[in-house]
């Protein structure tokens, strides 16, 4: 996120929101005493979830496009497409 220009203090706040979270299951006949730690994913219903997903997907797509444009196969595919038209 620092590469996106997001200030460090906001990154720390977001990290604190997403660390040390637990869930308690309601089985319909009362709340279970079992709790589980949440160690991955984004919080359902959290206003930050779509933003975090977009930041993640943006980086994934950038890496994917970079690999495509440097790939020999992709360069040949573009060349062949331009020649055949």
């Amino acid at each position: 996120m620092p590469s996106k220009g997001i200030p460090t203090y906001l990154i720390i706040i977001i990290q604190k929101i997403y660390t040390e979270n637990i869930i308690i299951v309601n089985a319909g006949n009362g709340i279970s005493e079992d709790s589980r730690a949440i160690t991955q994913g984004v919080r359902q219903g959290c206003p930050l979830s779509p933003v975090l997903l977009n930041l993640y997907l943006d980086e994934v797509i950038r890496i994917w496009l970079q690999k495509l444009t440097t790939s020999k196969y992709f360069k040949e595919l573009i060349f062949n497409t331009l020649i055949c038209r």
Side-chain angles (χ1 to χ4, degrees):
M1 287 200 278
S3 64
K4 303 285 183 204
I6 299 172
T8 306
Y9 74 92
L10 283 179
I11 294 170
I12 292 169
I13 290 171
I14 292 169
Q15 287 172 336
K16 287 185 180 194
I17 290 172
Y18 280 90
T19 54
E20 297 181 19
N21 287 312
I22 60 166
I23 59 168
I24 299 173
V25 179
N26 183 348
N29 57 352
I31 297 176
S32 168
E33 291 184 18
D34 264 351
S35 63
R36 300 200 187 260
I38 300 173
T39 58
Q40 59 189 16
V42 292
R43 297 171 76 173
Q44 208 170 17
C46 178
L48 275 177
S49 296
V51 175
L52 295 173
L53 176 66
N54 285 339
L55 287 170
Y56 174 76
L57 287 178
D58 181 61
E59 191 64 25
V60 168
I61 291 169
R62 285 180 194 274
I63 291 169
W64 178 69
L65 286 174
Q66 182 182 22
K67 288 187 179 200
L68 279 179
T69 56
T70 58
S71 151
K72 180 183 174 191
Y73 170 77
F74 187 72
K75 287 179 183 176
E76 288 175 2
L77 181 65
I78 288 177
F79 180 75
N80 291 336
T81 304
L82 292 174
I83 296 289
C84 294
R85 287 187 180 225

